[in-house]
Amino acid sequence: MTTMGGAGMPHWHVSEELAGRYAAGSVPETDAWSVEKHVETCGGCAARLSAAVRVRPETGAVLDGVRAGVLAAVAAEGAPAKKPVRAAAPHTAAPDGAPAKKPTPGAPFRFAGAAARAGRLLWAAGPALRGSWLVALVLVAVGAVALAYGAGAGEAVRPLLLVVAPVLPLAGVGLSYGRHADPMHEITAATPSGGLRLLLTRAAAVLVVSIPALTLAGAALPASAGRPGAAAWLLPGLAMTLAALALGSYVGCRTGATSIAVAWAAAVVLPVLAVSPPTALAAATGAARYFAGPAAQAGWAAGALVCAALLAVRRRSFDHLETL
């Protein structure tokens, strides 16, 4: 690495020697991440690194083949048609004779452009947000409210929703990262922004969608005396999500989320099996003790902190594709 001063801060650049070692694959993993992050914003170093990779016989031919394939595909599809340019409205005088303001080109499309960018960001934030998990989340939230008021089962629906609510984010997290969920997983995981950082971004997107939907659904249900409140599932849901991520650092996201969901189902159903035949209402009513009271909520908070600490310790494990 070479350094150069600027704005009172030293800045490093990729030297010829470092570029050669990177192309040969002999750079340590942490240094390779720094190089990849740096060339995202430094054109000179990107060109130097590209030249070092291209001169190697084992990679130059591959890159030439990829480039030729991309150019052939673009030529076969043809150049995209240009969008027609909208003509600007002619200048007109204001009613009082004052000169009219010059129209701003493209102003009506600014909102549409911002909405399109937000849509692309949401699309990239997590595969779970554009799959069956999102449909299941909406069905659970809407179905709970419809069942409570349409079938007159308000007393029974709230415990059922509390039992199901912490598991839904687990399903979203399990479907948001990994080879099974993302067709471009190998590419995204190999970038400097991949690994745990991308996984946490997608898990946050899942929580941002599921928390308001399920909490509002719980708040819309008829009040029931002695039952946990609509937000009682938040700490358990957070703790289970962090536990799934921490366990996923050992066995993969999908397996980790599935294991936590199965353990939760066993904790809800097995006590009912010991005393009577299992029913959904009996299991949900019995599970209320896991939510109600300061002691239960404090236990979930402590569990969330422990899982977060373990996740911080295991953060490097997400940099390896084979563990995901």
Side-chain angles (χ1 to χ4, degrees), residues 32-144:
W33 294 336
S34 298
V35 170
E36 293 164 359
K37 191 66 177 177
H38 175 71
V39 298
E40 290 181 357
T41 56
C42 183
C45 291
R48 184 178 299 113
L49 193 63
S50 177
V53 173
R54 290 182 64 84
V55 298
R56 298 189 64 83
E58 66 272 19
T59 56
V62 175
L63 292 176
D64 289 338
V66 172
R67 181 176 182 273
V70 172
L71 292 177
V74 172
E77 294 180 0
K82 293 184 178 180
K83 295 182 179 180
V85 179
R86 187 182 181 187
H91 289 213
T92 57
D96 57 357
K101 293 183 178 179
K102 184 179 180 180
T104 304
F109 303 101
R110 289 177 180 174
F111 179 77
R117 287 192 297 271
R120 288 195 298 269
L121 180 61
L122 186 63
W123 182 270
L129 299 187
R130 54 182 186 265
S132 57
W133 173 82
L134 187 59
V135 177
L137 175 67
V138 173
L139 288 178
V140 169
V142 175

Side-chain angles (χ1 to χ4, degrees), residues 44-274:
C45 291
R48 184 178 299 113
L49 193 63
S50 177
V53 173
R54 290 182 64 84
V55 298
R56 298 189 64 83
E58 66 272 19
T59 56
V62 175
L63 292 176
D64 289 338
V66 172
R67 181 176 182 273
V70 172
L71 292 177
V74 172
E77 294 180 0
K82 293 184 178 180
K83 295 182 179 180
V85 179
R86 187 182 181 187
H91 289 213
T92 57
D96 57 357
K101 293 183 178 179
K102 184 179 180 180
T104 304
F109 303 101
R110 289 177 180 174
F111 179 77
R117 287 192 297 271
R120 288 195 298 269
L121 180 61
L122 186 63
W123 182 270
L129 299 187
R130 54 182 186 265
S132 57
W133 173 82
L134 187 59
V135 177
L137 175 67
V138 173
L139 288 178
V140 169
V142 175
V145 176
L147 185 63
Y149 290 97
E155 289 291 327
V157 171
R158 182 178 292 275
L160 287 174
L161 182 62
L162 284 176
V163 169
V164 175
V167 182
L168 281 177
L170 292 180
V173 170
L175 293 173
S176 65
Y177 196 82
R179 295 187 187 95
H180 59 278
D182 191 349
M184 298 187 67
H185 169 68
E186 285 79 6
I187 296 176
T188 55
T191 63
S193 299
L196 181 60
R197 178 179 177 180
L198 180 59
L199 175 58
L200 291 178
T201 300
R202 292 181 171 179
V206 168
L207 293 175
V208 165
V209 174
S210 59
I211 286 177
L214 295 173
T215 303
L216 289 175
L221 297 180
S224 55
R227 302 289 189 184
W233 71 276
L234 292 179
L235 273 177
L238 177 62
M240 290 186 194
T241 301
L242 291 173
L245 294 176
L247 184 58
S249 68
Y250 295 96
V251 298
C253 293
R254 181 170 56 176
T255 304
T258 302
S259 301
I260 298 299
V262 170
W264 171 244
V268 171
V269 174
L270 289 181
V272 180
L273 285 174

